[in-house]
Amino acid sequence: MKRVTLFAGHYGSGKTNLAVNYALELARAGQKTLIADLDIVNPYFRTRDSEDELDRAGVEIIVSPYANSNVDVPALPPEMYRVTDDRAYHAVVDVGGDDRGALALGRLSPALREENNYDMRFVVNFYRPLTQTAEAALGVMREVEAASGLRFTGILNNSNLGAETTAADIRAALERARRLSERAGLPIVGTCAREDLAGALSDIDNLIPVRLRFRTDWAIF
């Protein structure tokens, strides 16, 4: 387990929900945990219910003041540098969608490379319009890497249709995930499934049951 775990992917991939789930699991395991939202376009932690749950679990929250602004390459606030500077914490980072959102991460990348104690997970949802094929998803992956100055270390297959997802939908996307893995030269570190679907998918390697933490009318897990 690396000290810093970054979740990045295209808008609608579900990276934020996975980041929240992971931060809560770390806190339950007794780890000092902080979660940083680098999504300057579509900030999640402004949602009050999630903020309360993280606070109750003892997870510290860092949000950029540039969220919802038209600033493309913001200067990070000093608190955001706790991700790299405060090594007493396990840091979970929700990186903004595609290359524009990853620009903010570029401010942290030199320190992350120097410490060399991070994992960066590419979260892919093959049911989103701009990542419906392995080739399209690979293009997004390379854009994020170029913008952030960091390389991905693994793939999280989070293909889903929100609350309407079935076990068959998840199985149908597996081959595209395997193709992406081959093209990128990276392992599939997990296939995510809503908790109530996990039993029907228990034969899938590295299955990760995920709890939805968004309003169900727009949730992408």
Side-chain angles (χ1 to χ4, degrees):
M1 182 174 61
K2 303 294 187 180
R3 189 187 69 79
V4 180
T5 305
L6 306 110
F7 293 84
H10 207 280
Y11 295 114
S13 63
K15 59 187 173 50
T16 298
N17 196 53
L18 297 186
V20 170
N21 273 273
Y22 186 60
L24 290 169
E25 287 300 319
L26 286 174
R28 291 192 191 99
Q31 302 292 336
K32 292 180 65 175
T33 306
L34 65 83
I35 186 165
D37 184 2
L38 281 179
D39 193 336
I40 64 173
V41 178
N42 184 30
Y44 170 74
F45 299 125
R46 299 284 176 90
T47 302
R48 187 67 216 168
D49 289 346
S50 301
E51 200 168 310
D52 288 346
E53 184 176 10
L54 288 162
D55 185 63
R56 288 194 302 270
V59 177
E60 297 190 32
I61 304 168
I62 302 173
V63 182
S64 171
Y66 297 96
N68 277 342
S69 75
N70 60 0
V71 179
D72 287 331
V73 190
L76 295 182
E79 189 180 22
M80 199 67 74
Y81 287 94
R82 288 184 59 201
V83 170
T84 55
D85 296 346
D86 195 342
R87 298 187 181 183
Y89 280 79
H90 281 272
V92 179
V93 182
D94 174 17
V95 181
D98 62 47
D99 57 337
R100 180 170 178 259
L103 287 171
L105 178 58
R107 304 300 181 91
L108 300 177
S109 61
L112 287 169
R113 289 195 301 269
E114 181 181 0
E115 183 185 2
N116 194 28
N117 193 13
Y118 74 90
D119 273 320
M120 190 158 86
R121 305 307 196 191
F122 182 68
V123 183
V124 60
N125 182 353
F126 287 108
Y127 292 112
R128 300 300 292 174
L130 298 181
T131 52
Q132 291 186 337
T133 67
E135 291 71 23
L138 183 63
V140 172
M141 179 186 291
R142 296 307 184 215
E143 289 175 357
V144 171
E145 289 179 332
S148 67
L150 296 172
R151 302 286 290 183
F152 284 102
T153 59
I155 297 165
L156 276 171
N157 174 25
N158 192 43
S159 299
N160 72 91
L161 294 165
E164 303 301 317
T165 309
T166 66
D169 293 326
I170 294 173
R171 290 187 184 280
L174 289 175
E175 186 53 43
R176 280 175 281 182
R178 295 186 185 105
R179 180 174 175 81
L180 175 60
S181 174
E182 292 171 359
R183 293 289 303 276
L186 292 173
I188 299 172
V189 296
T191 291
C192 305
R194 207 173 59 236
E195 285 182 322
D196 59 298
L197 299 176
L201 299 165
S202 59
D203 59 305
I204 295 177
D205 292 338
N206 299 320
L207 185 71
I208 302 174
V210 176
R211 180 173 299 176
L212 287 175
R213 300 184 185 279
F214 296 140
R215 284 168 28 205
T216 56
D217 57 341
W218 56 272
I220 299 293
F221 64 83

